[in-house]
Amino acid sequence: TNNFIPNPYDFYFINGFFFCVSLYGDTVIRSSDGISWTPINGIACWPYEVGQGTSFDSSLVFPTTSAYLRSIDNGLTWTKTALKPNNSFDYAWYSCAAGDGKIVLVANGGYEGNVNSSTAVTTDFVNWSYGRMPTRNGWSYTVYHPVAKKFFSIAYDQLNTGLVASSSDGLTWSMESPPIGYLFPSPSTIKYSNGLVIVGSEQRPYPRGQVAVSSGDGKWQIIMVSE
């Protein structure tokens, strides 16, 4: 039986369970088979939205503006922890990825405000280090490439030019060279699969779609996808 979830944000398969988290974090549904779902009380983050989640060290993590949501019992109970560098104004933590023994949170607002606050890295959820993205653009989704041992994040500038940044430690980031560029406007998602980082664009030349692909070596290929 499918249970209703208001404003569903995204689906995840983590620790042997399917999860869907509502846009504002107040409701979570969980399933072991994708058919029968159990509603779970989350933590309301209104008016802030929940960002891209991941699993790390047997816990589930979802960023939300100046904090993060975490569950250590496969989504049954949740805690909300503030994460504000230097106790300054709110930071829009928007995505996170885990790899190489650490979890990295990336802020959507780039380095507006404190220049050292657009990424946050921890190995234990107690001690945090803060880094910066290479531009002030709205960095959104982030993944980890286990072969290249790098984190990758996507954004686009005011001209909708597609941007990709990478980092080996989550603190110091650099632009991928050459960047995806104007030929690949408004990237909307990034995934890792079978040794490849794959970026999808929300704009496409009709009637075909396009993806940008890299093995993590800094070289990117734009592939047109026929419908």
Side-chain angles (χ1 to χ4, degrees):
T1 301
N2 292 332
N3 292 281
F4 174 75
I5 181 170
N7 300 311
Y9 175 72
D10 206 351
F11 282 90
Y12 298 89
F13 183 74
I14 301 173
N15 295 346
F17 292 93
F18 296 96
F19 291 90
C20 183
V21 180
S22 64
L23 185 61
Y24 300 107
D26 51 346
T27 304
V28 180
I29 56 174
R30 188 181 81 163
S31 174
S32 60
D33 57 11
I35 298 174
S36 299
W37 293 82
T38 301
I40 301 168
N41 290 329
I43 296 180
C45 300
W46 173 267
Y48 304 117
E49 297 179 0
V50 173
Q52 172 202 7
T54 191
S55 61
F56 174 70
D57 194 24
S58 299
S59 62
L60 309 179
V61 181
F62 290 88
T64 173
T65 308
S66 60
Y68 63 89
L69 306 181
R70 183 186 179 204
S71 172
I72 60 175
D73 55 7
N74 285 324
L76 293 178
T77 58
W78 295 83
T79 58
K80 182 180 179 181
T81 305
L83 188 62
K84 295 195 293 186
N86 301 328
N87 294 317
S88 52
F89 62 84
D90 291 348
Y91 288 86
W93 302 117
Y94 193 82
S95 67
C96 61
D100 195 28
K102 61 177 70 74
I103 184 170
V104 177
L105 274 65
V106 176
N108 181 260
Y111 57 84
E112 296 181 15
N114 187 321
V115 297
N116 294 314
S117 62
S118 59
T119 68
V121 181
T122 187
T123 60
D124 56 10
F125 294 101
V126 176
N127 301 297
W128 291 84
S129 299
Y130 299 96
R132 59 180 288 178
M133 298 302 287
T135 72
R136 294 181 60 169
N137 303 104
W139 297 93
S140 54
Y141 298 103
T142 305
V143 298
Y144 180 70
H145 191 310
V147 179
K149 295 187 176 181
K150 288 183 179 180
F151 295 89
F152 291 84
S153 190
I154 58 172
Y156 54 87
D157 61 20
Q158 294 178 344
L159 300 177
N160 287 337
T161 302
L163 306 174
V164 178
S166 62
S167 173
S168 59
D169 60 8
L171 298 172
T172 302
W173 294 73
S174 59
M175 299 296 294
E176 286 286 281
S177 180
I180 293 177
Y182 69 92
L183 294 176
F184 198 86
S186 303
S188 58
T189 188
I190 183 169
K191 302 290 184 181
Y192 170 80
S193 179
N194 294 326
L196 298 175
V197 175
I198 304 170
V199 179
S201 174
E202 66 183 24
Q203 296 184 6
R204 59 182 183 173
Y206 185 83
R208 297 181 296 175
Q210 55 186 352
V211 296
V213 179
S214 174
S215 63
D217 59 359
K219 300 177 182 179
W220 290 84
Q221 179 182 5
I222 297 177
I223 301 175
M224 306 307 295
V225 181
S226 300
E227 292 185 341

